[in-house]
Amino acid sequence: MIYLDNAATTLKKPQETIDAVIGAMQTLGNAGRGVNDASLHASRNLYLLREKLVQFFHGENATRICFTSNSTEALNIAIRGIVQPGDHVITTVLEHNSVLRPLYEMEEAGAELTIVGCDEKGYPLYEEMEKAIRPNTKAMVVTHASNLTGNVVDIERVGAICEKHKILFLVDASQTAGILPIDVEKMHIDVLCFTGHKSLLGPQGTGGLYVKEGVTIRPLKSGGSGIKTFDKKHPVDMPTALEAGTLNGHGLAGLQASIDYINRVGMDAIREKEMELMHHFLEGIEGISGLVLYGDPYAKEHCPVVAWNLLDYSSDMVGDSLYEDYEICVRTGGHCAPLMHEALGTKDQGAVRVSFSHFNTMEEVDEIILAIHEMAE
């Protein structure tokens, strides 16, 4: 089997990540719930990961890193915990349903929502973002890169707009954390939401958010915290405020090992390999009659993702054929990005998405190139 669906989740993980999860399952207690060695070991492990992540994202305080089960939960915490009835929020057509659906629900509850469109290549209309700001605008929620096209958004530019108008900037880094440098201070990011199981190469069920000093988020959940047991209200101290209940200590131990792996190998080296694979794929399918590319895959800054269709065939049919006839795994359909498909005119057809990991090989890319040529014929 050739796995080319890494934008959904990276299948191949570093061996040290696997070893760390196994080791944690044999040694970790419940963090913050005791003074025994197992519990203290878990607490130290989590704090060390917070330190590594805040350095990874160039933040200032490790206690501003809060752990979640994925970026969907992180985005829900951020959006529902910041937006209130009467607030105005701006987002874009590039967004994943993890952003759109919570915003739609807040809109139903009395918030106002503006969705900025994109140009013909799938980039957001930056000028329209600033024009959409109103006196009651509370925040902008923007993805760092489209999960469908791989187009990278100029987050620093958007952050400067938010900084200028004193509105909060929430960033969905699901597709970029681990392969693109993120500097929350330089990019004026108030809340960064990330997942562990994609380009951070960690286990599923891990993720989190970085919350800038001075930004307050109402907790999505309340319950056990390990501290202030007799208080009727959940603690407001960070990171406990946003971490009710037992965390996925075993998975987060794996995520810590993955961060160590990325730092050791080098994010630039990982990205260079992935882009080399992607460009080899683009060269190999160039000139195929009836093959349509979406977004701007030849851009200097891009995620290792290519979205395409073959003639008017259903993307699902193409994807099924790739797997059944060639044992190649890709993603098809709507990709949880409905507005992006509407903008590209692919709502009915969907799109075939190929996404690369640095663990993939040139030989595997050659296999899918050959498969697509045979299918086209």
Side-chain angles (χ1 to χ4, degrees):
M1 182 182 77
I2 297 174
Y3 185 83
L4 295 171
D5 192 18
N6 293 283
T9 191
T10 46
L11 181 65
K12 174 82 172 178
K13 308 292 185 183
Q15 185 59 48
E16 46 261 68
T17 300
I18 298 168
D19 293 341
V21 173
I22 294 172
M25 294 187 75
Q26 298 170 326
T27 59
L28 289 190
N30 200 335
R33 268 66 170 185
V35 293
N36 57 77
D37 286 345
S39 178
L40 291 174
H41 179 43
S43 296
R44 295 187 190 104
N45 198 58
L46 292 179
Y47 187 77
L48 187 57
L49 177 55
R50 294 187 210 277
E51 287 277 8
K52 291 177 179 179
L53 284 169
V54 81
Q55 292 171 15
F56 200 79
F57 297 130
H58 300 276
E60 294 183 336
N61 187 338
T63 65
R64 308 304 292 185
I65 294 283
C66 303
F67 296 122
T68 64
S69 59
N70 46 48
S71 56
T72 297
E73 184 180 16
L75 287 161
N76 271 264
I77 289 172
I79 292 169
R80 297 177 191 277
I82 289 175
V83 181
Q84 301 185 70
D87 290 337
H88 174 238
V89 184
I90 300 167
T91 192
T92 78
V93 297
L94 282 72
E95 309 308 315
H96 190 279
N97 272 334
S98 297
V99 168
L100 294 175
R101 285 175 173 164
L103 285 176
Y104 291 148
E105 290 167 9
M106 298 309 296
E107 186 179 31
E108 289 180 358
E112 300 172 14
L113 178 62
T114 296
I115 302 176
V116 175
C118 65
D119 62 20
E120 66 280 358
K121 289 188 175 181
Y123 291 109
L125 301 173
Y126 298 102
E127 296 82 2
E128 296 301 316
M129 289 181 176
E130 188 161 17
K131 290 178 182 177
I133 296 173
R134 307 172 186 171
N136 65 329
T137 302
K138 184 71 168 288
M140 281 195 195
V141 188
V142 180
T143 186
H144 194 180
S146 166
N147 74 304
L148 173 57
T149 66
N151 284 5
V152 176
V153 175
D154 188 345
I155 288 298
E156 189 170 352
R157 178 178 178 180
V158 180
I161 294 172
C162 293
E163 177 76 8
K164 173 183 174 183
H165 294 275
K166 305 304 178 186
I167 60 178
L168 295 175
F169 187 29
L170 283 60
V171 173
D172 175 6
S174 300
Q175 293 297 328
T176 56
I179 56 168
L180 286 179
I182 297 174
D183 187 325
V184 293
E185 295 298 318
K186 182 181 178 182
M187 296 174 172
H188 310 289
I189 297 172
D190 293 292
V191 182
L192 180 76
C193 300
F194 60 92
T195 195
H197 69 102
K198 296 187 181 183
S199 291
L200 285 177
L201 303 174
Q204 295 179 6
T206 63
L209 60 167
Y210 169 81
V211 184
K212 189 175 182 178
E213 292 274 7
V215 177
T216 300
I217 298 177
R218 298 185 307 277
L220 183 67
K221 302 179 292 184
S222 61
S225 60
I227 61 172
K228 301 183 179 180
T229 294
F230 295 99
D231 289 357
K232 290 184 177 180
K233 292 186 177 180
H234 193 75
V236 297
D237 308 294
M238 290 286 283
T240 310
L242 304 181
E243 291 182 344
T246 298
L247 295 172
N248 178 11
H250 305 136
L252 292 169
L255 181 58
Q256 182 176 168
S258 294
I259 297 295
D260 290 341
Y261 171 85
I262 293 171
N263 287 334
R264 176 172 60 81
V265 176
M267 187 189 302
D268 290 343
I270 291 172
R271 173 174 169 74
E272 183 179 350
K273 171 68 181 300
E274 292 176 350
M275 297 306 290
E276 184 181 3
L277 294 168
M278 187 187 83
H279 289 140
H280 184 65
F281 174 71
L282 289 169
E283 290 172 6
I285 62 173
E286 189 174 358
I288 293 179
S289 178
L291 191 143
V292 180
L293 294 174
Y294 301 102
D296 191 18
Y298 293 99
K300 182 177 180 180
E301 188 171 53
H302 199 271
C303 285
V305 172
V306 180
W308 53 280
N309 274 317
L310 189 57
L311 296 169
D312 58 353
Y313 287 106
S314 161
S315 62
D316 292 335
M317 179 183 294
V318 174
D320 287 345
S321 180
L322 280 171
Y323 185 69
E324 292 174 6
D325 299 333
Y326 302 95
E327 295 188 7
I328 298 173
C329 303
V330 297
R331 176 76 186 276
T332 64
H335 311 85
C336 304
L339 301 185
M340 193 73 252
H341 276 286
E342 289 180 12
L344 295 173
T346 53
K347 181 179 179 181
D348 295 329
Q349 189 177 14
V352 183
R353 185 186 70 187
V354 178
S355 49
F356 303 92
S357 162
H358 72 294
F359 288 118
N360 287 125
T361 66
M362 282 295 181
E363 290 75 20
E364 289 176 327
V365 178
D366 286 335
E367 287 292 326
I368 189 172
I369 291 171
L370 177 61
I372 295 171
H373 276 276
E374 291 181 357
M375 293 168 66
E377 290 172 3

